[in-house]
Amino acid sequence: MSATYSIRNYPQQHVHPLGLNRKKKYLKVFLLALLIAVTGIAYLAYTSGIFSDANPEIPRQMMTRINLERQSNNLQPLELSAPLTSAALKKSQDVRSTPLAYQAGSSNTDGTSVFIVPKLSWAISRFDSRQTIVDGFENTDTGFRTAVLNPQYHAIGIGVTSDSYNYYIVTVCQ
């Protein structure tokens, strides 16, 4: 008799799946907020161009920054040239196939500059190409800045290729 007495004093407890108990409404809200956050991050990563081979934002951002730099030095803005862009694209493909042969920021005397930029840096919100390319190589390699601020140059070509990890950006000024 004592064995049945103890069972009757402890009623059976109901099992509720997570988030279905009325007392745990916060769990539903948390899961919804988590879903929205993951969706937002995926959208930002997709629209940043990190998954594309040729990010169309890179040449536009570089042209804007280069012309701002020229304008601050009272020079005429550079025009984007199709033949120079084609030459820069070919050089960028060469850099992508043999990246160890080129140093990031290396410049030639003919106005050609090579930049190797990690893709992840372009996905970061509020990324500014001037900070990475123009300002960063101003101190270490003055060839790019010299080419950009050369008053004899009136046209530029920007070629961008990429692999899984980096963008290979080549600028050719004339």
Side-chain angles (χ1 to χ4, degrees), residues 150-165:
N150 189 341
Q152 296 175 352
Y153 291 154
H154 299 289
I156 188 170
I158 302 172
V160 179
T161 57
S162 69
D163 60 11
S164 300
Y165 305 107

Side-chain angles (χ1 to χ4, degrees), residues 7-17 21 23-24:
I7 291 173
R8 290 181 186 158
N9 284 341
Y10 299 106
Q12 183 180 6
Q13 293 189 6
H14 299 284
V15 177
H16 297 283
N21 189 349
K23 295 178 184 178
K24 296 184 181 179

